[in-house]
Amino acid sequence: MRSVSAFEENYCAPNNTNVCLPGFYCPNSNATNPAQYCPPTEECLLIRSSKGTCGPQGTFEPKVCSPGFYCPSPGKTIIECPKGFYCPQGSVQPIRCAPVSLCPTRSRRQVVMLPVYVTVALDIMLIFIAVWFYFFSKRKIHKKPQKKVKKETLRMPDHEENNLHPFLTNEPIEAYELTETPEIQRLMQSFRECIGADNVGLSFTFEGLSFEPVPGKQILSGISGAMQSGSFWAVMGGSGAGKSTFLNVLMGKTKHTGGSVLVNGHHEKMKKYKKLIGYVPQDDIVLPELTVRENILHSARIRLPRNWTDARKQEHVDTLIACLGLSHVADSLVGDPRKPVISGGQRKRVSIGLELAAAPMALFLDEPTSGLDATSAASVMGLLRSISSLGVTTIAIIHQPRQEVFESIDNLLLLGNGRELYAGPTKDVSGYFNKLSFTFPRNRNPADVVMDIMTGNGQQYTKDLSWRENSVPSLIDKWQTTAAKQEVDSEKDMGDKSGFQARTEVHAVPSSATQQEAIRRSIKKRGASYPLQVWFCFQRAMLQQLRNINSFFFEVGVGALAGAVIGMSAFSAHGQLFRGIYQFPFTALSSAVDYQSAIQIGLLGGLAIGLAASAAGVKVFGDEKLTYWREAAAGHNRYAYYIGKVLSTLVRMTLSCLHFSVCLGVLATPMMSFGSIFAANLLYFYCIYGFSSCISMVTKREDGPLLAVMGSLIIGILGGVAPPLSKVKLWHMEWLWRMSPGTWFTEIWFTKNVAPLKYLYILDLASAATGFKFHQSTLDMCILFLIGTIYRLIACALLVLVKRHKQR
Ligand SMILES: Nc1ncnc2c1ncn2[C@@H]1O[C@H](COP(=O)(O)OP(=O)(O)OP(=O)(O)O)[C@@H](O)[C@H]1O
């Protein structure tokens, strides 16, 4: 190997400007002996080519100031970095460490500890809250409903669901004097107060109602009738008879293709009455993490008149809960069918309670008794009957009710093949079918007989009719003839009560101008104000998160782990994530460049955030679509729901990001302040949550997490690291990369780790090689915020626009 002195003698060339650049140590050079650079030895070449720094190759060759030291201008001295400061390679001055950092003497990087302590303190506080919640709150809300409850004001039957209101038991329904109990009277008073008039029901008259989704496919045809205000109707028919379609058409959820619907005797759009109508879907769409009372109270707060005080709304809810026979489980979680806390019958009553909380004037129910045992089904039907007795027009699709329940129903609408088979009082149904030569055996439930007849299996109840005449088309024809004759008869002689009396009321009594005005006023004042709805939705979402504290801790833990893993990958770099070409005239002294480490941390950080946040982001809306559809259809403000939910994610997102940033910052110690690390990461979290929300709006619940993770990885890959952004620019595809938050995020990491070294390295070369700019981190952050916000706007639009029919 050649000696250094040989280089000095033969090859070292003077530096033509004779200066010691900032960040270099040139102890021997002066005007007489200018700084030189000498051809490096093979050993030095090897060190430089592997990004290292070798000692000066000659007496007058400058050396970049070593890490852990600083070399103040004009580079004649090299000073040990003092305690409380850190000195990366090429330091001119020591950099003061952030408060509460680990910066002993000769530090080349700072380990910022304040965020670590704050995070640990926060964690301890959160654990404390979780433990408190577990021991105090959970004890109250997670308890199973008690079997024995002290009997209070109500007459209690000895029933498996004790503490039920009398009309919710399987005692004969007719026996109850509903208006006598104080709860019912208070509820009635609430309903009256809400509507502001004595008439608390809506009536419906429908003429020749039909639904033909595609030409030639008649689902519903020629359905006519009148449902008086406060009447209790059951819609019955075989499977596929068109019951749900009828209900949807009558409510205006499905647009009818023929016929007309009059509300209170007036031709008006059903949409106008949305706030006055309650619809109980077949599935019990209730939030499992909330208690019975919380579920019902939320509905009441959103839908009751805005001039009611919260105390008044709570009173209404408590009265309603008492009437529903749910007082003893009011503070129990609802649970879900996989992990039930309350029984199926109780859950059904909660579902009905959500609608009654709004004091509706009409209540539609799609199979409220499905999935319930006979006793619970009877309870629910008893409840409906009592609700109708409050003046609320109640229309329910039911299947095979018990005899006493069947007989308690005021009116029946029987459907077959989408046509009417009977519409009128329940008491007259046997008379009607008797006239068609069917007999009702004494020992059979008349509801079963009616079901058999209308599904075309009624031959067993006839002696002389052929099978053909028992068929559904023949029953349809017979009802058509009867109904037509009846209409003529009723027009001729309204007072004649002899003979068969079904469908006596062809038109509901039109409401007066005063009543219409009361209804109009009632509609106008119903519903909480927009900001209040946002607040209630936010509050509810936070409560849900608190109840799902395990998944919250899991999310935060994943964030911390992801940060630690990425931090570990950069640990050995000791915070030096960039090495460039030295400024002229010391360019030839440069080691191999490292343009990749900073942007790779950006890439890996982006991917890790994508993995940690995307599945959590999908859950925000993905798990609750049914609830949203139900509430939107019931008139809850859709945007308030969305904003409340988005606001509720900010807390968990921030905490998750904090843990991620702390672990990453402590291990990778980049040349960025903790504030910059946190801000960049938080904005990227914000984008990923927004992106995942968009995915959740258009995918099925089970597919959402996988697609969101995939999408987040693609966004991360489009971060401009591989393929490099400089290459992408050559393809004229930068616009595509710039649409991804990944590119902006990586650029922040590049800028923050590179820009402070501007005095030492030629940054334009680094910028040209990587394709990233190094002077626009504020713009990068603003654009990340903008992209995250655009994602949220898209998600909100998708929420409102996708499956619109379910929101009607
Ligand atoms: N929009 C639509 N387009 C095409 N077919 C429809 C539409 N809506 C309903 N149908 C069809 O109309 C028939 C009646 O459906 P509907 O759900 O009203 O019956 P149902 O009496 O409620 O039955 P079930 O008791 O089984 O729920 C079914 O065959 C259904 O597939």
Side-chain angles (χ1 to χ4, degrees):
M1 194 179 283
R2 287 169 296 182
S3 70
V4 172
S5 59
F7 274 87
E8 279 183 49
E9 280 171 20
N10 302 311
Y11 301 104
C12 292
N15 169 5
N16 57 4
T17 52
N18 185 28
V19 286
C20 188
L21 290 183
F24 281 88
Y25 178 50
C26 326
N28 304 321
S29 15
N30 50 41
T32 329
N33 298 301
Q36 299 177 329
Y37 29 78
C38 311
T41 60
E42 285 93 342
E43 194 184 355
C44 179
L45 269 180
L46 202 65
I47 293 172
R48 285 183 181 167
S49 63
S50 57
K51 302 177 189 171
T53 310
C54 57
Q57 301 293 285
T59 311
F60 303 109
E61 188 178 90
K63 180 181 181 284
V64 71
C65 201
S66 304
F69 293 84
Y70 68 99
C71 305
S73 290
K76 296 291 174 205
T77 49
I78 180 160
I79 307 169
E80 192 180 65
C81 203
K83 194 173 173 210
F85 292 82
Y86 72 104
C87 305
Q89 189 183 54
S91 291
V92 180
Q93 288 173 343
I95 306 167
R96 186 177 290 280
C97 292
V100 202
S101 296
L102 291 183
C103 284
T105 318
R106 287 198 193 183
S107 292
R108 60 197 297 183
R109 61 178 173 182
Q110 64 167 341
V111 182
V112 185
M113 294 305 289
L114 185 62
V116 179
Y117 298 143
V118 170
T119 309
V120 170
L122 263 175
D123 286 348
I124 292 172
M125 205 172 81
L126 283 172
I127 291 170
F128 179 76
I129 292 174
V131 170
W132 176 86
F133 198 71
Y134 183 84
F135 282 112
F136 293 93
S137 179
K138 195 172 176 178
R139 202 175 50 182
K140 188 178 164 199
I141 59 169
H142 286 240
K143 68 182 178 190
K144 286 262 179 193
Q146 291 166 6
K147 291 274 179 195
K148 294 284 174 201
V149 180
K150 190 174 165 237
K151 293 176 183 180
E152 293 172 3
T153 51
L154 300 178
R155 179 167 60 94
M156 299 297 160
D158 189 13
H159 183 265
E160 81 122 341
E161 291 180 48
N162 249 332
N163 203 21
L164 290 181
H165 190 276
F167 61 69
L168 294 175
T169 70
N170 55 351
E171 290 181 31
I173 288 162
E174 290 79 0
Y176 303 119
E177 289 295 330
L178 299 170
T179 51
E180 275 184 12
T181 66
E183 282 79 11
I184 282 288
Q185 280 175 354
R186 278 210 301 275
L187 189 64
M188 210 162 187
Q189 182 55 34
S190 264
F191 271 61
R192 288 213 178 101
E193 227 176 278
C194 202
I195 179 68
D198 278 350
N199 179 3
V200 290
L202 287 180
S203 68
F204 305 99
T205 307
F206 37 95
E207 278 289 334
L209 215 51
S210 60
F211 176 60
E212 195 177 354
V214 282
K217 185 161 186 180
Q218 196 85 19
I219 306 293
L220 217 58
S221 172
I223 313 290
S224 301
M227 294 173 167
Q228 297 294 355
S229 142
S231 58
F232 180 23
W233 281 78
V235 182
M236 292 176 70
S239 187
K243 303 179 293 293
S244 301
T245 308
F246 167 73
L247 217 61
N248 287 332
V249 163
L250 188 61
M251 274 189 294
K253 280 179 179 284
T254 303
K255 211 165 183 300
H256 52 266
T257 50
S260 62
V261 180
L262 274 65
V263 186
N264 280 359
H266 303 279
H267 273 288
E268 270 173 319
K269 285 214 167 107
M270 208 58 149
K271 209 173 146 193
K272 189 182 146 189
Y273 294 92
K274 194 174 181 176
K275 287 185 177 176
L276 303 181
I277 290 176
Y279 169 62
V280 182
Q282 190 172 347
D283 298 322
D284 301 329
I285 304 167
V286 284
L287 287 174
E289 311 90 352
L290 301 191
T291 64
V292 168
R293 189 173 187 276
E294 287 160 354
N295 264 297
I296 297 177
L297 183 60
H298 178 79
S299 177
R301 280 177 166 160
I302 298 278
R303 293 165 71 182
L304 281 174
R306 63 182 68 99
N307 58 350
W308 282 28
T309 61
D310 198 56
R312 177 73 190 88
K313 287 177 184 172
Q314 299 214 27
E315 193 192 331
H316 171 78
V317 167
D318 290 333
T319 310
L320 176 61
I321 287 174
C323 291
L324 288 165
L326 292 171
S327 296
H328 62 306
V329 288
D331 293 321
S332 299
L333 289 185
V334 167
D336 60 41
R338 285 164 301 165
K339 207 176 157 194
V341 180
I342 60 172
S343 72
Q346 287 164 339
R347 196 198 318 279
K348 179 62 75 184
R349 272 179 268 149
V350 175
S351 183
I352 296 171
L354 292 184
E355 300 307 316
L356 291 180
M361 294 168 72
L363 187 63
F364 293 80
L365 306 102
D366 195 345
E367 302 195 22
T369 55
S370 74
L372 299 185
D373 59 63
T375 311
S376 301
S379 298
V380 168
M381 291 306 290
L383 166 67
L384 297 181
R385 182 179 170 275
S386 67
I387 287 163
S388 76
S389 78
L390 294 179
V392 179
T393 315
T394 306
I395 302 152
I397 296 175
I398 53 165
H399 276 295
Q400 306 213 290
R402 279 156 67 146
Q403 180 165 355
E404 66 272 20
V405 171
F406 180 73
E407 285 164 0
S408 74
I409 297 165
D410 295 339
N411 298 286
L412 286 178
L413 174 64
L414 306 183
L415 297 178
N417 296 351
R419 308 288 299 270
E420 207 170 291
L421 299 182
Y422 174 84
T426 308
K427 62 180 170 50
D428 293 340
V429 74
S430 55
Y432 170 67
F433 284 115
N434 283 340
K435 277 182 148 243
L436 302 185
S437 303
F438 293 99
T439 51
F440 282 59
R442 278 188 171 279
N443 56 352
R444 294 284 316 251
N445 175 359
D448 293 344
V449 178
V450 167
M451 274 302 280
D452 284 340
I453 294 173
M454 67 184 166
T455 49
N457 299 315
Q459 203 179 24
Q460 53 191 304
Y461 308 111
T462 62
K463 281 200 186 118
D464 47 357
L465 279 182
S466 72
W467 176 251
R468 225 176 126 67
E469 285 177 87
N470 272 308
S471 66
V472 176
S474 127
L475 291 172
I476 294 168
D477 286 345
K478 285 182 177 135
W479 174 249
Q480 293 293 313
T481 321
T482 311
K485 180 172 175 300
Q486 219 185 317
E487 220 162 298
V488 172
D489 287 353
S490 70
E491 275 170 24
K492 264 200 285 181
D493 181 8
M494 295 291 284
D496 182 10
K497 297 282 175 198
S498 61
F500 168 63
Q501 287 296 315
R503 210 176 166 207
T504 44
E505 290 143 4
V506 178
H507 294 281
V509 182
S511 56
S512 66
T514 323
Q515 284 170 325
Q516 279 301 102
E517 178 55 24
I519 288 172
R520 198 189 59 74
R521 273 204 310 274
S522 173
I523 294 172
K524 215 169 162 199
K525 69 182 182 186
R526 276 174 187 241
S529 65
Y530 178 72
L532 260 184
Q533 290 204 31
V534 172
W535 169 245
F536 291 139
C537 290
F538 168 76
Q539 214 184 17
R540 182 177 70 169
M542 290 303 292
L543 192 58
Q544 283 176 275
Q545 287 182 30
L546 209 54
R547 299 263 161 80
N548 277 328
I549 198 85
N550 291 349
S551 84
F552 170 77
F553 280 126
F554 183 70
E555 191 182 328
V556 168
V558 168
L561 190 65
V565 169
I566 308 301
M568 287 293 285
S569 72
F571 185 74
S572 57
H574 300 288
Q576 187 170 1
L577 299 176
F578 178 79
R579 183 178 280 108
I581 305 274
Y582 293 133
Q583 293 282 9
F584 183 80
F586 292 170
T587 311
L589 298 173
S590 305
S591 304
V593 295
D594 177 9
Y595 290 163
Q596 289 299 306
S597 291
I599 57 175
Q600 267 171 4
I601 287 283
L603 170 77
L604 293 176
L607 293 179
I609 293 173
L611 288 175
S614 52
V618 164
K619 265 170 71 92
V620 177
F621 293 100
D623 283 359
E624 264 185 35
K625 276 188 195 161
L626 292 177
T627 305
Y628 164 74
W629 287 332
R630 179 174 183 176
E631 293 184 346
H636 294 222
N637 189 301
R638 294 174 294 180
Y639 303 103
Y641 170 86
Y642 182 78
I643 293 172
K645 270 295 207 190
V646 167
L647 290 179
S648 77
T649 61
L650 296 183
V651 179
R652 67 191 299 154
M653 190 177 83
T654 307
L655 281 172
S656 187
C657 174
L658 181 68
H659 286 75
F660 177 82
S661 305
V662 163
C663 292
L664 176 62
V666 163
L667 291 168
T669 56
M671 279 196 72
M672 295 167 78
S673 67
F674 180 77
S676 299
I677 299 176
F678 181 68
N681 291 344
L682 187 61
L683 286 166
Y684 199 70
F685 263 91
Y686 180 69
C687 290
I688 293 296
Y689 259 77
F691 173 76
S692 305
S693 299
C694 295
I695 296 284
S696 71
M697 299 302 174
V698 289
T699 53
K700 281 196 216 148
R701 182 181 161 173
E702 55 274 23
D703 300 335
L706 187 62
L707 283 171
V709 169
M710 276 297 297
S712 305
L713 290 183
I714 292 170
I715 283 180
I717 296 293
L718 290 179
V721 178
L725 195 61
S726 51
K727 194 104 181 167
V728 170
K729 284 179 178 174
L730 296 178
W731 303 337
H732 304 290
M733 296 282 285
E734 191 186 357
W735 59 270
L736 180 62
W737 265 251
R738 289 283 175 191
M739 280 171 72
S740 157
T743 302
W744 303 97
F745 180 65
T746 311
E747 195 162 76
I748 296 173
W749 276 83
F750 179 73
T751 305
K752 291 285 179 187
N753 283 283
V754 166
L757 301 171
K758 194 173 175 199
Y759 67 92
L760 191 63
Y761 300 116
I762 306 173
L763 296 192
D764 288 334
L765 290 177
S767 182
T770 58
F772 290 106
K773 299 190 174 99
F774 60 86
H775 44 63
Q776 56 174 30
S777 61
T778 310
L779 176 73
D780 293 332
M781 292 209 189
C782 291
I783 291 188
L784 276 184
F785 181 72
L786 186 70
I787 293 177
T789 306
I790 290 173
Y791 283 155
R792 276 165 180 74
L793 292 175
I794 294 172
C796 184
L798 290 172
L799 181 75
V800 172
L801 296 175
V802 173
K803 304 247 162 88
R804 287 181 76 179
H805 63 282
K806 298 203 175 186
Q807 302 172 37
R808 283 203 285 267

